[in-house]
Amino acid sequence: MNPDKKRTIAILGSTGSIGTQTLQVVDEHPELFEVYALTAGSRVEELAAQARKYKPDAVVIADESKYAQLKEALADLPVKVYAGNDAICQVVQSSPIDIVVTAMVGFAGLRPTVAAIKAGKAIALANKETLVVAGELITRLAAENKVPILPVDSEHSAIFQCLAGEPFDSIEKLILTASGGPFRSYTPEQLLTVTKAQALKHPNWSMGAKITIDSATMMNKGFEVIEAKWLFGIEAKDIEVVVHPQSVIHSMVQFKDGAVKAQLGTPDMRLPIMYALSYPQRLASSFGRLDFTKLNELTFEQPNMEIFPNLRHAYDALNMGGNMPCVVNAANEVCVAAFLADRIKFTDMPRIIERAMQSADFCQKPTLDDYIATDAEVRKMANNWI
Ligand code: NAD
Ligand code: MG
């Protein structure tokens, strides 16, 4: 990277797990990165504190009822303060921005990502729901606007790193590793009574609540299969999931000569975030290092789609195509929120998602408006069942 020209970044969802770790990457190399815009859902105090430290040009709070509080908190700074989802879509288009880190959670990521791509911004994509919902549209827009979509998700960053220098037609399959989550070895009977507190304890990674529940149900891995298809242009049948409880191998690529490349590391999201921000370069980091002498064993097993049906639902949705992955995503967002509110059981989640897949109107070639309509329809439907 050219130290004379800093890379200017916007972080959508700056107060979350990925957002705050992105700011730690900026702290690691303040000579290379400049924060232009920060946006958050509703956490005003955290956003205001970040604005004080990083002095962005603009901040946006999605929750419009928090505007006055944010404006007041930043009254003595020359920062522009906005509120609402339309403002997020506007701000990402600002001309100084080079790269937009999409670190907000859920379907809310779709419209700002579309706006950023249309404005020619490189995307460091953490918000996998955007690719799950609208992978075809997003990858087509990115190609039309010649913008790169750089993976932040650790598995996809691993594959991206394994693919460096390898021609596309040399790929035989992608192997996504999965920790298996906290209930990996549970029986169906045991799963019936798991609590929110148990589901929120991920064995290896510390993440936001929604993705932590998605990891426990294996919906997250299903979403990552869909994400991999769109990022790398590989068909579902050539994307395999292997459970690897130690989370040391972040994912692998098998080539047509039988060679397998893997990327290994500590479970620290700052590395994939930094690689996305500095690509194609690697930057020095003070982050932890793997100590192979302390690794007792690396083990692998097949995922159990009978016990974790969400992984099957994701493959099925990907094979059906059209708006079906959008249906699964919307039903899943409703389910995760209801599970976190103690309104449904852990095992209700895959059942409600399956019912949504059977009930929603299918659309083979959805537009952005169709995705928005599908999302609204399925949310309404799933909420009625809960
Ligand atoms: P989080 O819950 O910790 O943070 C979410 C951020 O989004 C917060 O800043 C929140 O204020 C903001 N936000 C929430 N709702 C919003 C809305 N409606 N509009 C605008 N902003 C909103 O989540 P996270 O764990 O950082 O995950 C963020 C994204 O990154 C998710 O899509 C997740 O799947 C993906 N991801 C996370 C990890 C991880 O390690 N945390 C790893 C891989 C991928
Ligand atoms: Mg991941």
Side-chain angles (χ1 to χ4, degrees):
M1 288 172 71
N2 177 2
D4 299 333
K5 166 140 187 6
K6 289 188 180 182
R7 216 164 260 192
T8 304
I9 63 178
I11 306 174
L12 312 184
S14 64
T15 57
S17 164
I18 293 291
T20 51
Q21 292 181 86
T22 304
L23 288 168
Q24 290 171 25
V25 169
V26 171
D27 292 342
E28 204 55 23
H29 285 286
E31 76 289 4
L32 297 178
F33 301 115
E34 182 157 324
V35 177
Y36 183 87
L38 297 172
T39 83
S42 59
R43 290 186 228 153
V44 170
E45 281 99 9
E46 282 105 316
L47 183 58
Q50 290 178 342
R52 232 161 248 293
K53 177 166 176 196
Y54 294 95
K55 310 208 165 21
D57 192 77
V59 294
V60 189
I61 190 93
D63 179 347
E64 295 183 32
S65 72
K66 301 278 169 68
Y67 172 77
Q69 196 189 339
L70 182 61
K71 181 88 184 148
E72 163 80 26
L74 296 173
D76 59 322
L77 293 183
V79 53
K80 300 181 195 108
V81 179
Y82 306 102
N85 288 317
D86 289 344
I88 297 177
C89 293
Q90 283 291 323
V91 161
V92 295
Q93 301 178 42
S94 310
S95 54
I97 297 172
D98 298 314
I99 183 160
V100 175
V101 182
T102 65
M104 74 283 262
V105 61
F107 184 85
L110 177 60
R111 283 181 56 236
T113 307
V114 168
I117 293 172
K118 285 186 173 166
K121 309 304 182 191
I123 306 291
L125 185 131
N127 179 264
K128 67 190 83 183
E129 293 91 341
T130 288
L131 280 185
V132 169
V133 167
E136 192 278 328
L137 173 80
I138 293 291
T139 48
R140 180 162 40 82
L141 283 178
E144 281 167 16
N145 290 281
K146 300 188 175 57
V147 306
I149 298 186
L150 303 151
V152 167
D153 214 347
S154 57
E155 294 77 3
H156 306 75
S157 178
I159 290 168
F160 189 53
Q161 293 176 56
C162 292
L163 288 176
E166 302 283 359
F168 178 77
D169 67 0
S170 67
I171 305 170
E172 193 165 77
K173 68 176 175 185
L174 308 181
I175 304 168
L176 289 173
T177 52
S179 72
F183 309 132
R184 177 173 61 88
S185 50
Y186 277 41
T187 62
E189 293 69 41
Q190 286 176 302
L191 268 192
L192 286 172
T193 55
V194 300
T195 63
K196 171 172 85 177
Q198 287 172 300
L200 283 170
K201 276 205 193 83
H202 193 279
N204 305 333
W205 298 90
S206 161
M207 310 180 285
K210 195 256 178 184
I211 185 176
T212 305
I213 301 301
D214 286 346
S215 300
T217 62
M218 292 204 75
M219 186 81 270
N220 182 54
K221 208 49 56 179
F223 284 171
E224 291 183 353
V225 170
I226 301 176
E227 185 184 7
K229 181 212 154 105
W230 295 114
L231 282 172
F232 305 112
I234 301 294
E235 293 308 314
K237 68 174 178 44
D238 299 324
I239 306 174
E240 187 179 316
V241 172
V242 172
V243 174
H244 165 48
Q246 297 82 18
S247 298
V248 170
I249 296 179
H250 295 317
S251 277
M252 304 180 258
V253 179
Q254 181 171 307
F255 295 93
K256 66 183 178 192
D257 59 357
V260 178
K261 280 166 98 175
Q263 188 259 338
L264 288 69
T266 58
D268 184 339
M269 287 305 297
R270 292 175 301 178
L271 193 149
I273 294 168
M274 191 163 80
Y275 191 67
L277 292 182
S278 66
Y279 179 81
Q281 274 174 256
R282 282 190 191 275
L283 303 178
S285 95
S286 63
F287 312 151
R289 301 292 192 258
L290 264 189
D291 180 350
F292 282 90
T293 62
K294 294 216 172 78
L295 294 177
N296 293 327
E297 54 174 10
L298 299 183
T299 61
F300 305 92
E301 55 196 72
Q302 269 204 341
N304 188 332
M305 299 204 206
E306 303 305 317
I307 297 185
F308 298 102
N310 279 353
L311 183 55
R312 165 91 57 217
H313 294 338
Y315 272 106
D316 287 347
L318 185 52
N319 287 325
M320 286 182 239
N323 64 341
M324 199 49 82
C326 176
V327 170
V328 171
N329 179 71
N332 181 61
E333 287 194 29
V334 170
C335 285
V336 171
F339 177 69
L340 286 172
D342 296 315
R343 292 176 58 216
I344 57 173
K345 288 197 308 235
F346 188 82
T347 45
D348 290 332
M349 292 191 273
R351 270 202 292 275
I352 292 169
I353 292 167
E354 189 168 359
R355 190 167 165 196
M357 292 173 78
Q358 289 158 355
S359 311
D361 287 332
F362 184 68
C363 168
Q364 187 67 60
K365 288 217 172 301
T367 61
L368 179 59
D369 287 341
D370 293 329
Y371 289 124
I372 292 169
T374 296
D375 180 72
E377 177 208 337
V378 173
R379 278 172 199 272
K380 203 168 140 200
M381 202 154 66
N383 270 312
N384 279 337
W385 297 331
I386 285 168

